[in-house]
């Protein structure tokens, strides 16, 4: 997985919350204010607050650098309080669309009784 060539294990851990391999990219998410501690717990200070609602009581928009393959599972884990926001890419090729399709596939497994 390329771990032997790492110069900074801490940085690798922050970018790969579930240890899947893949390219690291910047992603923007919106997280409920009361779940902000999850960001700090998982990503230490390796993120940037780039927006928030008017009184900072509902949400924060966060930008961080992560492995999208790994981060997908983090997003699913916190799907009740996090939303992936689109950055530049639109349509079917956006990371937001990828998350949406992953969630649809997961839901299909529970729709039939």
């Amino acid at each position: 997985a390329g771990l032997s060539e790492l110069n900074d294990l801490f940085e690798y851990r922050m970018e790969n919350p579930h240890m899947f391999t893949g390219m690291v990219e910047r992603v923007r998410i919106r997280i409920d204010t009361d779940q902000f501690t999850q960001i700090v717990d998982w990503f230490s200070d390796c993120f940037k607050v780039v927006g928030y609602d008017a009184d900072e009581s509902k949400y924060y928009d966060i930008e961080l650098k992560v492995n999208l393959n790994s981060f997908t599972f983090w997003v699913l884990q916190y799907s009740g309080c996090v939303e992936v926001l689109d950055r530049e890419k639109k349509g079917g090729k956006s990371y937001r669309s990828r998350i949406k399709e992953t969630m649809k596939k997961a839901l299909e497994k529970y729709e039939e009784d």
Side-chain angles (χ1 to χ4, degrees):
L3 292 177
S4 60
E5 295 92 35
L6 284 179
N7 293 326
D8 189 339
L9 188 57
F10 177 78
E11 179 183 30
Y12 181 83
R13 172 61 187 92
M14 293 300 103
E15 293 173 350
N16 296 275
H18 286 293
M19 298 301 196
F20 287 80
T21 60
M23 292 199 43
V24 173
E25 296 184 36
R26 290 202 178 281
V27 68
R28 192 168 285 184
I29 60 171
R30 178 167 287 168
I31 191 157
D32 295 350
T33 301
D34 61 347
Q35 296 298 316
F36 184 75
T37 56
Q38 297 302 330
I39 297 294
V40 176
D41 288 350
W42 277 90
F43 303 102
S44 185
D45 62 351
C46 301
F47 66 90
K48 182 178 179 182
V49 175
V50 295
Y52 46 85
D53 68 301
D55 63 1
E56 295 185 58
S57 66
K58 295 182 182 179
Y59 67 83
Y60 288 104
D61 292 345
I62 307 292
E63 189 171 286
L64 54 155
K65 204 170 115 180
V66 290
N67 167 344
L68 299 184
N69 293 333
S70 182
F71 194 61
T72 295
F73 293 96
W74 188 92
V75 170
L76 294 176
Q77 179 178 353
Y78 291 99
S79 61
C81 62
V82 69
E83 175 186 0
V84 172
L85 304 175
D86 273 332
R87 294 188 70 227
E88 300 171 22
K89 295 180 185 177
K90 297 290 180 192
K93 296 186 188 258
S94 73
Y95 185 57
R96 180 181 171 92
S97 295
R98 180 173 152 190
I99 293 294
K100 186 177 176 179
E101 289 304 312
T102 301
M103 293 180 88
K104 280 182 182 179
K105 287 178 184 175
L107 181 59
E108 286 172 4
K109 294 177 181 180
Y110 296 92
E111 287 183 329
E112 288 187 30
D113 286 334

